[in-house]
Amino acid sequence: MPVLFAHVTRDGVAGDWERNRKHHGGPDRAVCLYSEELHAGLRADGIDLFNGAVGENFTTRGVNLQHLAKGDQLRIGADCVIEITDIRVPCRTLAKLNVNLPRLIQGRSGWVAKVISEGTVRPGDGIEVLPRRSR
């Protein structure tokens, strides 16, 4: 559900805690990203889901998530910086929304990330992909 603002901490988005912290959340999976474009692909396959339905904390627009890689950093709003840590693996819970969803979401799963710099974000805040560091 969209909010007016969210405090993003190293533990995740304040007030949006996962019940099962063993398999969801934690410092390297503090936030989950999915995009309007990925939602549009699901709608094209006949699955109409609202933003947030696949468990994402941030629904992006105009950022090609499929061009990101582990280690990439994004600035969201003025202060929040996150670092991509892994692909978001679809879980069985998604089948409760649509039995075909775990299969259809394969290859367009979004990302999970750790929080490098905490901050407050708001709908419409800019998202900047920061230059890649030397690896």
Side-chain angles (χ1 to χ4, degrees), residues 8-13 16-18 21 23-34 55-58 60 65 68-76 80-89 109-118 127-128 133:
V8 182
T9 72
R10 284 177 173 70
D11 290 327
V13 177
D16 189 21
W17 308 119
E18 290 287 343
R21 301 290 279 182
H23 299 289
H24 298 91
D28 285 340
R29 301 174 62 83
V31 295
C32 179
L33 296 100
Y34 207 71
E56 75 268 25
N57 304 105
F58 297 118
T60 66
L65 297 184
L68 296 178
K70 291 180 186 181
D72 284 347
Q73 293 186 350
L74 294 86
R75 180 181 317 281
I76 304 170
C80 181
V81 176
I82 62 173
E83 182 176 309
I84 302 297
T85 55
D86 210 348
I87 194 162
R88 180 198 174 276
V89 177
S109 297
W111 294 99
V112 292
K114 65 182 175 181
V115 176
I116 302 299
S117 178
E118 298 180 349
I127 300 176
E128 174 189 5
R133 302 182 319 246

